């Protein structure tokens, strides 16, 4: 039996997906929104966390690392993500978090079941349709930290709020914003956000 934690912030989508997955005899499925997912993962110790990369909380930054922490007597759950090729920034975060499975949200639901089974065995699963997204992710000029800073800025967070959320000094946040503006070829912070959203980095 494969223990699965399905994480999605849209209640209707999450409920329908979870119910559909429960029709598979070898899957034991629990579901949660991102807000409560880390706690559920620590209490359930699933074999696989199948997660939607888009997160309504925390300024849209899914806390992937919080799901994959190791317990005292259990291996960390393996990570499978529901992704889109037009969001290479989210794909890059998943890669850096060590995700093994990548399922296209616009693909067949059967791919999700196949991906869960492969990932549970410690094997990689990647939808072919996400290839272009991976190419764009590899070409992204921004680092993970710069993406985190810019994601918060795009949601309207002030320098002080970004610094508090990411445990940085105000000066460090300003330095990151200057680097982001330079790397994206933007005129200012607003322009950097516009360019990055247009490229799918945010």
């Amino acid at each position: 039996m494969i223990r699965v934690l399905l994480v999605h912030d849209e209640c209707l989508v999450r409920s329908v997906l979870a119910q559909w997955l429960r029709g598979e005899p070898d899957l034991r499925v629990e579901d949660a929104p991102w807000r409560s997912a880390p706690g559920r993962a620590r209490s359930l110790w699933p074999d696989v966390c199948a997660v939607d990369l888009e997160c309504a909380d925390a300024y849209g930054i899914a806390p992937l690392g919080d799901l994959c922490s190791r317990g005292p007597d259990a291996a960390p759950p393996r990570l499978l993500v529901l992704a889109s090729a037009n969001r290479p920034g989210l794909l890059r975060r998943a890669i850096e978090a060590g995700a093994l499975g990548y399922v296209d949200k616009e693909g067949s639901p059967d791919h999700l079941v196949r991906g869960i089974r492969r990932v549970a065995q410690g094997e990689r699963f990647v939808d072919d349709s996400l290839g272009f997204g991976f190419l764009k992710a590899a070409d992204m000029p921004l680092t993970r930290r710069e993406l985190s800073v810019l994601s918060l800025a795009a949601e309207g967070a002030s320098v002080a709020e970004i610094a508090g959320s990411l445990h940085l000094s105000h000066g460090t946040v300003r330095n990151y914003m200057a680097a982001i503006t330079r790397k994206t070829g933007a005129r200012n912070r607003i322009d950097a956000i516009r360019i990055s959203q247009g490229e799918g980095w945010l």
Side-chain angles (χ1 to χ4, degrees):
M1 185 69 70
I2 301 170
R3 299 185 304 273
V4 179
L5 177 61
L6 176 68
V7 182
H8 201 298
D9 271 345
E10 295 180 24
C11 182
L12 178 60
V13 174
R14 185 178 72 246
S15 299
V16 170
L17 263 180
Q19 192 61 33
W20 184 76
L21 287 172
R22 289 183 185 118
E24 299 296 322
D26 59 334
L27 303 183
R28 180 181 300 165
V29 181
E30 300 289 339
D31 64 274
W34 269 110
R35 182 177 59 256
S36 59
R40 293 294 299 279
R42 286 190 294 271
S43 63
L44 295 170
W45 289 114
D47 301 302
V48 177
C49 287
V51 308
D52 179 33
L53 281 179
E54 297 188 40
C55 174
D57 292 334
Y59 297 99
I61 303 171
L64 296 173
D66 292 347
L67 291 180
C68 300
S69 57
R70 183 184 297 273
D73 300 311
R78 296 184 171 109
L79 184 62
L80 176 145
V81 298
L82 307 176
S84 298
N86 62 356
R87 299 294 303 276
L90 295 180
L91 276 174
R92 181 160 168 177
R93 288 196 186 107
I95 294 167
E96 291 172 344
L100 277 179
Y102 300 83
V103 175
D104 191 342
K105 291 202 288 188
E106 298 182 11
S108 166
D110 292 333
H111 289 194
L112 177 56
V113 175
R114 196 181 318 152
I116 288 171
R117 288 175 178 145
R118 290 272 295 276
V119 168
Q121 295 172 359
E123 300 175 3
R124 186 171 294 278
F125 180 89
V126 181
D127 263 337
D128 293 340
S129 53
L130 293 175
F132 181 66
F134 279 104
L135 288 174
K136 290 191 71 176
D139 288 338
M140 284 175 53
L142 303 180
T143 66
R144 177 173 58 177
R145 180 61 86 182
E146 288 165 349
L147 284 170
S148 296
V149 169
L150 193 59
S151 294
L152 292 168
E155 294 294 333
S158 67
V159 168
E161 289 169 333
I162 295 171
S165 178
L166 299 179
H167 308 292
L168 302 171
S169 70
H170 293 194
T172 300
V173 172
R174 291 190 184 94
N175 289 341
Y176 276 126
M177 287 305 308
I180 290 165
T181 302
R182 184 182 71 253
K183 288 182 177 182
T184 57
R187 297 185 300 275
N188 50 42
R189 167 176 167 161
I190 301 302
D191 196 32
I193 292 169
R194 178 189 62 78
I195 291 169
S196 299
Q197 288 176 334
E199 292 289 341
W201 299 340
L202 294 180

